[in-house]
Amino acid sequence: KIMICKKGLKLSNHENNLLKDLNLKNNKQIKYLGNYINYKGDWEYQINYAKNNGINNLSKITRIKRKIPNIKIEMLNRIYFAVIESKALYGCEIWGMHDKASIEINKIRNKYCKLILNIPVNAANIAARLEMGFTDVKIKLMEFALKFILKRSNLNSNKLINKYIRDQIIHTKSNYFKNIMYTLNKIGMGDCLNNSFIQDSNKLIINITNRIKDIINQEERAKLNNYKSLTIFKLIKKGTEISQYLINPEITNKQKIGLAWWRLGIRKLKNWRGNSENNKCILCNEEEDDNEHLILKCKMLNEIRNKYFDKHFFHIYTITKNINYSNTKHIQKFGNFLFIVRELIKTEIKKHS
C-alpha cells in the first residue's frame, strides 16, 4: 500500500507518472494495524469509527439484559469495559489526545449509562455518568498516552539519549503532544517529563491520573449547576462511586428505574412534560410541580402514598430533603412509589400528545 498525504485527493502529473503502472485505487483512508489513517493525516475518521463501533456494540448489552433480567450491574460494567470500550479504545495511545477524541468516546459511555439507568437520551450526560460511577474518558486516554510516551522515552539506558527523545516528544508541534502538555500544565505537573530518566513511571502515571481525575470531577460538579432538573441529584449524590441502590441485590429493577428517574430529574425534561412550558403538575394540574409537591402533596397520589409510606417518612423527608439510602426497606418502598408515579405520568403524557 502507498499512502500520499496531501491537500485533496488529486495527484500531480509527476505522481501519476510514477504510479501509473501500479493500478492503485484512490482511497480517502487506509486501515493499518487496526486503525484508520485518512488522507489529511489526522485521526478524525478513526475516532468516528471507534465511536460508532462502540455504540453499535451496545446492542450486546441490550441482548444480555433481555436474556438475564436480574444480571448484576457490576457484571454488566465488566462486560462493557472488556468487550465494548476496550475495542473502541484500541490504538488510542496514538489518537487518544486528539481534540475530538474524549468528546466522541464519551458518547459511548453516556449511552451505556443511560441504557443501564433506563433514562432518555436527553438526560444530563454528567449526571448519568456520576450515578454509574463513571468518569470522563479523558482520564483514561491521558493514562494510555502517558504510558506510550514514557515507554518510548525510557527504551534506552543512556540518560542523555532518553532526554533527547523526550525533548523531541515534548517540543513537537503536533496537537497530540500540545494537548498532553496543556493537561500536565493545568494540574501543575508540566515539568514531570523533563527528568533524564523516570525510574518509577507507573507511580508517576498514577499521580498524574489521580490529579486529573480530581480536577475533572470538580469541573463536572460545577457544570451540574447549569441543569435546573438536577436539584435533587445535587443534594443527594456524594462522591464519584456508583450509587449504592444500583448495586444493592435487594432492590428490584423496577425500584431502580423509579429511583433513577427521580434522582436524575427526568420528569423535568421537556419530553416528560408533554412538550409543555407549563410548570404545573401534570397529574393534578393545580400546583407547581416541584419535588415536595410530587412526594408530599399531589392529591392524585394520596392513595399510593398512603400504601407505601407512614407519617414518619413524611416528617423525615420534609426536614432533611434527603432519603436514607442505607435503609433497604425504606428504599424499596420509595422505589415502588416512584415507579408507579413514573408510569402514571407516562400515561398522562400519552393522553395529551
Side-chain angles (χ1 to χ4, degrees):
K1 293 179 180 178
I2 298 174
M3 185 167 191
I4 301 173
C5 294
K6 59 184 295 181
K7 290 183 179 179
L9 292 173
K10 193 174 180 180
L11 299 178
S12 67
N13 291 332
H14 176 65
E15 289 164 344
N16 278 321
N17 290 330
L18 286 174
L19 306 174
K20 63 182 179 180
D21 296 328
L22 298 179
N23 192 24
L24 295 176
K25 291 182 179 179
N26 207 347
N27 295 323
K28 290 187 177 181
Q29 61 276 323
I30 61 169
K31 191 174 185 180
Y32 180 68
L33 296 178
N35 288 273
Y36 283 95
I37 308 168
N38 69 7
Y39 72 97
K40 295 178 183 178
D42 63 32
W43 297 101
E44 285 192 29
Y45 186 88
Q46 168 60 30
I47 291 166
N48 286 324
Y49 170 79
K51 177 201 72 175
N52 294 331
N53 193 34
I55 289 175
N56 292 336
N57 282 333
L58 287 177
S59 60
K60 295 176 182 177
I61 299 292
T62 306
R63 289 197 295 272
I64 292 169
K65 283 184 68 181
R66 194 181 297 122
K67 289 182 178 180
I68 316 172
N70 296 321
I71 187 171
K72 293 181 179 180
I73 287 180
E74 302 100 303
M75 179 61 69
L76 287 174
N77 285 348
R78 285 199 288 270
I79 294 170
Y80 167 78
F81 284 115
V83 177
I84 297 171
E85 191 168 289
S86 63
K87 287 185 178 180
L89 293 181
Y90 179 75
C92 69
E93 298 92 336
I94 305 298
W95 52 262
M97 293 309 293
H98 188 280
D99 295 333
K100 292 184 179 180
S102 62
I103 297 171
E104 296 301 318
I105 302 301
N106 262 333
K107 291 178 181 177
I108 308 173
R109 286 194 172 187
N110 297 339
K111 190 158 185 176
Y112 169 73
C113 291
K114 291 173 184 179
L115 174 67
I116 300 301
L117 295 171
N118 213 324
I119 56 177
V121 292
N122 62 332
N125 293 326
I126 296 172
R129 290 201 305 265
L130 283 173
E131 190 78 339
M132 288 287 293
F134 282 42
T135 55
D136 192 317
V137 77
K138 186 185 293 184
I139 300 167
K140 199 167 188 178
L141 295 175
M142 186 67 177
E143 182 181 350
F144 278 115
L146 285 171
K147 285 180 180 177
F148 174 70
I149 290 173
L150 293 174
K151 185 177 180 181
R152 287 287 305 277
S153 58
N154 279 343
L155 286 176
N156 198 294
S157 59
N158 187 300
K159 292 183 179 181
L160 186 62
I161 294 175
N162 288 329
K163 189 172 189 314
Y164 173 76
I165 295 172
R166 199 175 292 117
D167 285 344
Q168 293 301 306
I169 292 171
I170 293 170
H171 299 299
T172 184
K173 294 181 180 180
S174 73
N175 288 333
Y176 176 87
F177 296 109
K178 282 182 181 177
N179 288 340
I180 291 175
M181 293 311 299
Y182 171 79
T183 306
L184 290 175
N185 288 327
K186 187 177 179 180
I187 63 173
M189 297 185 71
D191 294 331
C192 69
L193 298 180
N194 287 329
N195 298 327
S196 59
F197 187 77
I198 298 170
Q199 293 183 351
D200 195 346
S201 58
N202 289 332
K203 188 176 181 180
L204 176 63
I205 290 168
I206 290 170
N207 290 338
I208 292 172
T209 50
N210 284 340
R211 290 180 71 168
I212 294 171
K213 188 175 182 179
D214 290 340
I215 289 175
I216 288 178
N217 287 336
Q218 289 172 15
E219 290 174 348
E220 292 196 331
R221 279 281 174 185
K223 288 177 184 176
L224 290 177
N225 295 323
N226 299 329
Y227 296 90
K228 293 181 181 179
S229 62
L230 297 178
T231 307
I232 286 292
F233 185 78
K234 287 182 283 187
L235 285 172
I236 291 176
K237 182 62 179 176
K238 309 296 181 186
T240 57
E241 300 300 320
I242 185 170
S243 297
Q244 287 302 304
Y245 75 93
L246 290 172
I247 55 177
N248 187 335
E250 297 182 51
I251 306 297
T252 66
N253 287 336
K254 286 185 177 180
Q255 291 162 357
K256 290 174 183 177
I257 289 170
L259 288 163
W261 174 81
W262 178 71
R263 285 166 61 96
L264 277 76
I266 303 304
R267 77 180 199 290
K268 291 288 186 180
L269 301 177
K270 194 170 182 180
N271 59 328
W272 267 83
R273 304 197 57 77
N275 293 322
S276 170
E277 297 295 337
N278 185 2
N279 287 325
K280 286 188 176 180
C281 173
I282 197 170
L283 295 176
C284 68
N285 202 30
E286 291 182 3
E287 295 186 37
E288 184 179 345
D289 180 18
D290 58 23
N291 291 301
E292 285 199 23
H293 171 79
L294 182 76
I295 305 299
L296 304 173
K297 300 176 182 177
C298 181
K299 65 181 184 181
M300 301 300 290
L301 300 175
N302 282 342
E303 186 178 339
I304 305 167
R305 201 180 286 119
N306 292 333
K307 179 180 178 181
Y308 287 104
F309 305 127
D310 53 25
K311 292 180 180 179
H312 178 68
F313 171 83
F314 299 131
H315 177 70
I316 293 295
Y317 181 82
T318 306
I319 292 174
T320 64
K321 305 293 176 65
N322 210 335
I323 302 298
N324 182 9
Y325 280 87
S326 61
N327 188 327
T328 300
K329 289 184 178 179
H330 191 170
I331 296 306
Q332 287 172 332
K333 289 182 178 181
F334 193 45
N336 285 328
F337 170 77
L338 291 171
F339 183 80
I340 293 170
V341 173
R342 175 183 181 271
E343 296 305 301
L344 287 173
I345 292 178
K346 278 177 70 175
T347 305
E348 285 298 315
I349 291 170
K350 287 179 181 177
K351 288 180 183 177
H352 290 79
S353 61

